[in-house]
Amino acid sequence: MKISGVDIRPGNIIEYEGGIWRAVKIQHTQPGKGGAYMQVELKNLRDGRKNNVRFRSAETVERVRLDTKDFQFLFAEGDNLVFMDKETYDQTTLPRDLLGDAAAFLQDGMDVVMELYDEEAISVQLPDTIEATIVEADAVVKGQTASSSYKPAVLDNGVRVMVPPHIASGTRIVVDVYEGTYVRRAD
């Protein structure tokens, strides 16, 4: 589906210069002289490159619709991750760097949504939050009474997060996968 360059929104996936790109940030600019344009930060979904492009209103780009399928994470094998299609039970192996920092939050048996373009996996979406156990937390420094004082802690998956002072080692917490931040104590 063709759309005007100024109609691009964050999250849109477009075909540009022979690649598949996701719009990350946009900025509409209307200079005093000349026509308005949309400054778009694009991220290539195949190799992770980033590019800043100006689209004028007269330009059109092809908007791409990705198919989504439910998969389950099975296990990690070196630098590869193995997923299983929940309908056909077919296994798919993907490189760990396709997920970026979120790969550290994968748990055995976790349900994920895979985005496919022409049957090729483009991205994997994890749940927004996961539960993890704190294996190491710094002691609270006496006299640090400011409510905004957080302390560093290490999760069972090796990721470091900042947690409130009352959270101790062995506590299960809920973590935002994409921000890598403490959300709340697990129930």
Side-chain angles (χ1 to χ4, degrees), residues 143-174:
Q144 253 189 344
T145 56
S147 60
S148 65
S149 65
Y150 276 55
K151 64 181 183 178
V154 179
L155 302 176
D156 53 5
N157 59 8
V159 176
R160 295 182 71 82
V161 295
M162 298 299 283
V163 297
H166 67 274
I167 301 292
S169 190
T171 308
R172 286 197 58 78
I173 62 169
V174 175

Side-chain angles (χ1 to χ4, degrees), residues 86-106:
K86 291 180 76 174
E87 290 176 13
T88 64
Y89 302 109
D90 291 339
Q91 289 187 7
T92 302
T93 303
L94 298 174
R96 179 181 293 272
D97 56 357
L98 183 70
L99 276 77
D101 294 339
F105 292 101
L106 278 171

Side-chain angles (χ1 to χ4, degrees), residues 3-12 14 16 22-31 34-42 51-61:
I3 60 171
S4 169
V6 294
D7 291 331
I8 296 172
R9 298 289 171 256
N12 285 168
I14 63 169
Y16 177 71
R22 181 185 308 270
V24 181
K25 294 180 190 166
I26 62 165
Q27 181 180 357
H28 189 266
T29 306
Q30 199 161 1
Y37 60 87
M38 185 73 74
Q39 180 79 28
V40 183
E41 182 180 314
L42 298 172
N51 194 0
N52 282 310
V53 183
R54 285 184 179 179
F55 291 103
R56 303 226 174 259
S57 56
E59 293 178 78
T60 59
V61 291

Side-chain angles (χ1 to χ4, degrees), residues 97-117:
D97 56 357
L98 183 70
L99 276 77
D101 294 339
F105 292 101
L106 278 171
Q107 298 170 339
D108 291 347
M110 177 183 277
D111 291 337
V112 298
V113 175
M114 202 173 288
E115 292 180 319
L116 306 162
Y117 177 70

Side-chain angles (χ1 to χ4, degrees), residues 53-54 57-59 69 73 84 99 107 126 134 146 152 177 187:
V53 183
R54 285 184 179 179
S57 56
E59 293 178 78
K69 258 186 151 177
F73 173 66
M84 177 185 70
L99 276 77
Q107 298 170 339
L126 277 62
I134 303 237
V177 170
D187 299 329

